[in-house]
Amino acid sequence: MKLNRRDLLKAAGAAGALNLAWPLSAGLSPAQAREAAEALGADYDPAPFTLGVASGDPQPSSVVLWTRLAPEPLAAVQQLPEIVEVEWVVAEDCALTRVVTRGKTPASATLGHSVHVPVGGLRANTRYWYAFKALGRTSRVGRTRTAPVGSVVKVRFAAANCQAFHDGFYAAHRGIAREDVDFVVHLGDYIYEHGPVGGVPTDHVRDHDTPAILTLADYRRRHALYKGDASLREAHAAHPWYLTWDDHEVVNDYSGTGGGAPFMQRRAAAYQAWYENMPHRDSGHSSLPDPEIHRVRRWGDLLELTVLDLRSYRSAQNLGNGTILGAEQKAWLKQGIAQGPEAWHVWANSIMLSQLRGRPGGSYMFTDQWDGFLAERKEVLNHVHTSGMEDLVVITGDWHSAFVDDIRPDFDDTSSPVVGTEFTAHSVTSGAYSADWNKTNGPVMGAANPHLKYFEGNRYGYDVYEVTPQRFSAHMRVIADRRDPESPVTTLTSFHVDRGTAGSYEDPATKNSPAQYRRD
């Protein structure tokens, strides 16, 4: 019988030995914390590159390379000089013999000895390999690629979200690492700020019920614990990533503009730790502790990717003039809608855009998502319609379940035009509702939300999107068992959107797959 991290932590809590099981418990030495992490299935690359390597934000002539020096990954402070010189190399082959460019960069204690190298002068639509060297050691070799320009006939990419370490192994990331994709989009909840409570792991719990992590050292250690899953490091090393965030990178359901000084200090610590541990390209328009996340990236003439930040600038929920985007980001998004090229328009969206009522005529299920910002949602989607934008696909995380929705400017009016499709992906590991809840409430949500086409909440995994000039296809990849780090991956079902035709349809070959709701 396989035991996942949740089961092991429950057993430890029941035995009164939680401090021996949860690696971030107070009072553990770095060695004891690492031993506890390894007991939960973690391991690390050889020091000082214990957290692996990654690349991100690919553009036609440039990509960002990342690593972070952490000889003791779970230590609050690394025993390293203030500045460590790090060498890097980019080559045309995995043996790193056909070198394209190389250089040196300082890794400072100020930014957790992290390294972000924006390598320029690269060829478009080209695969490269890279590695780092420091303190006499060499990192693993990573693989990346640049974006194309001009005519593109196909792009494949994966999307992942919600990966609570204490809820299972990252077999989904193992699957992503082996996919033939051009890039990965991570849609948020990369870490969770909470962990076990009294021996019982937690999912969507109230923040005051959980052991708080507040400081930069706390968040650094949390990221290091998550990077202890070998499959996550493998997925980072295999493909370049685009990134956004949601709430748990800081604290559950937070508003980036709310709270007093203690919260703003906590947010600053969380944002800095996120930056230190991600292959994120600094825009040059902002400075720590406020990385700028929202951006537009193009994959030739085929796809325009708009990455949204739905946390940093939002107001409180359920206000008549509330905002989830903030004034500047909303103006930027609306300008992009009006001036967008003839292409597939993909929004990387961390929380559900589509309306979700809990029962017919009832209240919204969660107003932390776009349902808490009704006027702004209608304004943005009306702008999509009136501007004539076509071929909009929104990819979303957060819900720990899979949804497929038609997007309408007015979700309560079934005559309102369909202006796009939203695909909400399964979580990597984060706990979903029970099978009984899904069975009961899937049909209820379908009846309450006429735009909802599909719901499946009993599985975990990721999505792979395959895009051509004629069609956008979403393939829902699911793992068999999150207790198994090598769990096999299968395709649960596929949906398609035809170019120039708003709305999606399920592939006939997979239409009989299990689901708790599908609209026939």
Side-chain angles (χ1 to χ4, degrees):
M1 178 180 177
K2 299 183 179 72
L3 286 177
N4 70 355
R5 291 169 178 147
R6 169 181 292 275
D7 298 326
L8 292 169
L9 288 164
K10 282 183 178 179
L18 181 61
N19 65 319
L20 300 180
W22 181 237
L24 304 182
S25 297
L28 298 184
S29 70
Q32 290 171 326
R34 184 162 181 170
E35 182 180 2
E38 290 172 349
L40 297 177
D43 66 8
Y44 291 93
D45 283 8
F49 301 102
T50 53
L51 308 182
V53 302
S55 67
D57 200 38
Q59 297 188 53
S61 63
S62 177
V63 70
V64 171
L65 306 182
W66 170 90
T67 192
R68 181 174 162 236
L69 308 182
E72 289 288 353
L74 298 177
V77 177
Q78 299 297 319
Q79 299 302 310
L80 289 171
E82 180 70 23
I83 301 290
V84 178
E85 185 175 79
V86 180
E87 300 175 40
W88 55 269
V89 61
V90 177
E92 295 177 330
D93 64 311
C94 61
L96 306 179
T97 58
R98 299 197 301 274
V99 174
V100 173
T101 184
R102 64 170 75 240
K104 298 178 181 179
T105 191
S108 72
T110 301
L111 290 177
H113 293 98
S114 62
V115 172
H116 298 79
V117 181
V119 181
L122 303 177
R123 293 194 310 272
N125 199 29
T126 301
R127 179 163 285 172
Y128 293 99
W129 286 259
Y130 63 93
F132 299 91
K133 185 175 181 179
L135 303 174
R137 302 292 181 89
T138 301
S139 73
R140 72 159 72 196
V141 175
R143 182 181 65 177
T144 191
R145 72 176 308 134
T146 51
V149 294
S151 179
V152 176
V153 298
K154 185 177 180 180
V155 60
R156 298 180 84 249
F157 64 101
N161 71 92
C162 299
Q163 52 195 47
F165 181 88
H166 50 265
D167 277 352
F169 293 102
Y170 295 160
H173 280 303
R174 185 173 183 267
I176 288 173
R178 288 157 172 72
E179 292 278 359
D180 179 17
V181 294
D182 297 294
F183 57 87
V184 177
V185 180
H186 200 284
L187 296 166
D189 290 345
Y190 188 100
I191 65 165
Y192 280 70
E193 84 290 0
H194 60 250
V197 180
V200 180
T202 56
D203 293 317
H204 287 296
V205 297
R206 297 183 302 277
D207 181 54
H208 62 261
D209 287 337
T210 65
I213 63 171
L214 303 172
T215 67
L216 179 57
D218 291 338
Y219 283 101
R220 282 174 174 168
R221 295 177 71 222
R222 188 64 52 115
H223 277 278
L225 176 62
Y226 278 56
K227 286 286 201 309
D229 192 296
S231 295
L232 178 58
R233 298 197 308 280
E234 187 179 357
H236 271 299
H239 313 293
W241 288 35
Y242 296 103
L243 298 142
T244 188
W245 51 31
D246 193 25
D247 53 342
H248 288 291
E249 284 85 354
V250 181
V251 65
N252 189 38
D253 290 353
Y254 80 95
S255 168
T257 58
F263 169 75
M264 297 306 289
Q265 291 172 350
R266 182 181 187 180
R267 192 192 82 157
Y271 279 11
Q272 178 169 334
W274 183 92
Y275 174 76
E276 291 173 353
N277 286 278
M278 296 295 152
H280 176 70
R281 186 192 300 265
D282 182 19
S283 67
H285 301 140
S286 62
S287 59
L288 289 171
D290 291 302
E292 187 176 272
I293 301 299
H294 61 284
R295 61 199 57 212
V296 172
R297 297 292 182 254
R298 294 191 173 95
W299 209 260
D301 64 356
L302 182 59
L303 184 147
E304 180 186 64
L305 177 69
T306 300
V307 180
L308 299 177
D309 181 349
L310 302 180
R311 284 290 163 188
S312 299
Y313 315 114
R314 65 158 60 192
S315 67
Q317 309 163 20
N318 303 318
L319 301 177
N321 62 346
T323 178
I324 194 171
L325 292 164
E328 290 187 11
Q329 186 179 199
K330 181 172 70 174
W332 166 85
L333 177 60
K334 291 177 70 175
Q335 182 180 36
I337 291 168
Q339 300 177 358
E342 292 293 324
W344 288 100
H345 301 278
V346 178
W347 294 358
N349 176 70
S350 58
I351 51 177
M352 188 175 286
L353 174 67
S354 299
Q355 179 172 289
L356 189 62
R357 292 192 185 277
R359 57 183 175 80
S363 59
Y364 301 116
M365 291 191 71
F366 302 106
T367 57
D368 185 62
Q369 52 198 33
W370 283 79
D371 277 340
F373 306 88
L374 300 180
E376 185 163 275
R377 178 173 65 188
K378 184 172 289 189
E379 177 187 352
V380 169
L381 295 181
N382 272 322
H383 187 64
V384 169
H385 176 54
T386 58
S387 70
M389 173 184 272
E390 295 183 332
D391 308 315
L392 171 64
V393 177
V394 178
I395 60 173
T396 297
D398 180 62
W399 231 92
H400 307 178
S401 300
F403 292 77
V404 180
D405 288 280
D406 285 337
I407 299 172
R408 301 176 185 269
D410 186 345
F411 286 101
D412 286 322
D413 180 1
T414 56
S415 68
S416 181
V418 176
V419 298
T421 294
E422 181 173 29
F423 294 112
T424 301
H426 290 97
S427 65
V428 170
T429 59
S430 300
Y433 286 103
S434 70
D436 288 342
W437 191 97
N438 293 331
K439 181 179 178 180
T440 299
N441 288 279
V444 175
M445 290 189 293
N449 301 280
H451 50 278
L452 174 60
K453 290 188 167 182
Y454 175 92
F455 166 73
E456 202 293 314
N458 290 351
R459 290 163 177 81
Y460 301 88
Y462 58 97
D463 280 2
V464 169
Y465 303 111
E466 187 169 348
V467 189
T468 70
Q470 296 78 36
R471 193 165 80 168
F472 188 109
S473 298
H475 306 292
M476 297 181 191
R477 302 280 205 252
V478 293
I479 61 172
D481 191 345
R482 61 180 171 155
R483 296 173 299 175
D484 181 359
E486 299 182 0
S487 180
V489 175
T490 58
T491 299
L492 178 63
T493 193
S494 297
F495 275 77
H496 308 291
V497 180
D498 291 333
R499 188 72 176 268
T501 303
S504 65
Y505 58 94
E506 194 168 7
D507 194 298
T510 57
K511 198 168 184 179
N512 292 324
S513 61
Q516 289 78 59
Y517 178 79
R518 54 166 48 90
R519 191 174 300 279
D520 295 323

